Amino acid sequence: MLSAQERAQITQVWDLIAGHEAQFGAELLLRLFTVYPSTKGYFPHLSACQDAAQLLSHGQRMLAAVGAAVQHMDNLRAALSPLADLHALVLRVDPANFPLLIQCFQVVLASHLQDEFTVEMQAAWDKFLTGVAVVLTEKYR
Amino acid sequence: MVHFTAEEKVAITSLWSKMNVEEAGGEALGRLLVVYPWTQRFFDNFGNLSSPSAILGNPKVKAHGKKVLTSFGDAIKNMDNLKTTFAKLSELHCDKLHVDPENFRLLGNVMVIILATHFGKEFTPEVQAAWQKLVSAVAIALGHKYH
């Protein structure tokens, strides 16, 4: 359901993140924990000491998954199936938290790209990440 | 009542003082209408909303955005008293405008993203937290008189 322009916006922005997944991911998690402290409960190993190395490591993992989603924009369900299982059976993150993560993701993009973070990019990424969240929570029940 | 710490107030007022409220207002409303197109339902009489550039260049969008953000300035002057400050506006949005309060949350989040584009690295996690707290409190105040 992504248009050709939306796909272009998504890959254009991803090209700027690729190679820096750890750094972006760590900042994403730091913003999430600072702005929405209730989310820390889902990351007990991370959020207690907020050790930089651990944030980078986990941030890298999360952004790598986003990268996989970008590669498979047309078939998110298949590409993210193992992660969907993980979230449904093990992590069980309440779906209400995904919009919080998405807001922080947008702020990370906006603060790095500044004037270059166009409304088209914002719209495409909001739609894309919301689609990812839907897939990740689809098997919950 | 929501309580803002001294640090939060500084994070908010220092950025606000550097903002071009008129431009930012138009941008905030414009981005809302583009990113969440269903919000256009309240603006059928605004003319051309057919594309992102049409929306962001639309004079009615700019004017209304300026109005909304100027009102937000009142929030910043009355951070300790938001529910009273926005009581009349809350009634208006419920009784006359019939705006779903979810829209206040969406607009608040868009404003935070715009601040991030303007201020870059200066928009630290702590500064973001202060602003998210403010936009959330304003959204609640605007929804407070709904019945």
Side-chain angles (χ1 to χ4, degrees):
Chain A
M1 273 171 339
L2 291 166
S3 71
Q5 292 97 315
E6 286 164 343
R7 281 190 206 135
Q9 297 290 346
I10 290 161
T11 47
Q12 188 184 347
V13 170
W14 183 254
D15 285 343
L16 301 166
I17 298 174
H20 309 286
E21 286 89 342
Q23 178 203 339
F24 277 90
E27 185 185 334
L28 172 63
L29 287 168
L30 194 55
R31 285 189 185 274
L32 185 69
F33 297 156
T34 307
V35 180
Y36 306 108
S38 60
T39 58
K40 290 193 283 185
Y42 290 108
F43 302 87
H45 53 296
L46 274 190
S47 45
C49 47
Q50 282 182 30
D51 169 62
Q54 287 198 306
L55 282 178
L56 285 164
S57 158
H58 201 84
Q60 146 79 27
R61 213 173 324 159
M62 283 176 67
L63 272 266
V66 173
V70 172
Q71 297 298 337
H72 298 98
M73 269 188 271
D74 297 325
N75 201 356
L76 286 180
R77 236 169 233 129
L80 298 178
S81 182
L83 267 180
D85 290 336
L86 182 72
H87 281 75
L89 302 171
V90 178
L91 303 178
R92 292 169 290 184
V93 175
D94 191 294
N97 290 283
F98 288 89
L100 307 182
L101 183 66
I102 291 169
Q103 173 69 3
C104 290
F105 201 108
Q106 296 278 46
V107 170
V108 170
L109 293 179
S111 64
H112 282 255
L113 297 174
Q114 293 200 256
D115 281 340
E116 286 171 28
F117 191 56
T118 63
V119 63
E120 289 86 352
M121 285 176 182
Q122 183 182 344
W125 272 85
D126 196 292
K127 184 173 170 180
F128 171 61
L129 290 173
T130 302
V132 170
V134 164
V135 168
L136 289 180
T137 56
E138 221 165 30
K139 301 186 192 181
Y140 273 31
R141 56 178 168 172
Chain B
M1 282 295 115
V2 181
H3 172 70
F4 291 87
T5 66
E7 291 85 357
E8 285 168 341
K9 288 184 179 178
V10 165
I12 290 162
T13 53
S14 63
L15 258 61
W16 187 255
S17 66
K18 298 182 211 171
M19 279 178 69
N20 180 330
V21 171
E22 174 168 350
E23 267 181 27
E27 203 186 335
L29 186 60
R31 283 194 183 233
L32 180 78
L33 297 173
V34 171
V35 178
Y36 309 109
W38 56 92
T39 59
Q40 294 171 25
R41 72 189 299 284
F42 301 107
F43 303 104
D44 280 336
N45 62 339
F46 268 31
N48 187 2
L49 298 178
S50 61
S51 71
S53 50
I55 291 170
L56 288 169
N58 183 310
K60 284 189 173 177
V61 170
K62 288 184 182 181
H64 196 72
K66 176 185 174 187
K67 196 176 182 184
V68 169
L69 224 65
T70 303
S71 170
F72 208 87
D74 289 339
I76 294 179
K77 294 197 195 97
N78 296 283
M79 271 188 262
D80 296 323
N81 203 5
L82 290 172
K83 285 192 173 126
T84 314
T85 304
F86 284 105
K88 283 268 173 294
L89 270 179
S90 180
E91 284 170 8
L92 177 76
H93 281 77
C94 171
D95 299 333
K96 294 267 154 42
L97 304 177
H98 310 297
V99 177
D100 181 344
E102 177 60 21
N103 291 284
F104 309 143
R105 279 173 271 287
L106 288 178
L107 181 63
N109 277 345
V110 170
M111 278 176 60
V112 167
I113 289 167
I114 283 167
L115 287 168
T117 63
H118 284 217
F119 293 104
K121 283 192 176 54
E122 197 182 336
F123 202 66
T124 63
E126 289 75 16
V127 171
Q128 180 189 351
W131 274 92
Q132 298 276 183
K133 186 172 170 179
L134 177 65
V135 301
S136 168
V138 170
I140 290 169
L142 276 173
H144 188 63
K145 290 285 190 189
Y146 273 58
H147 59 100

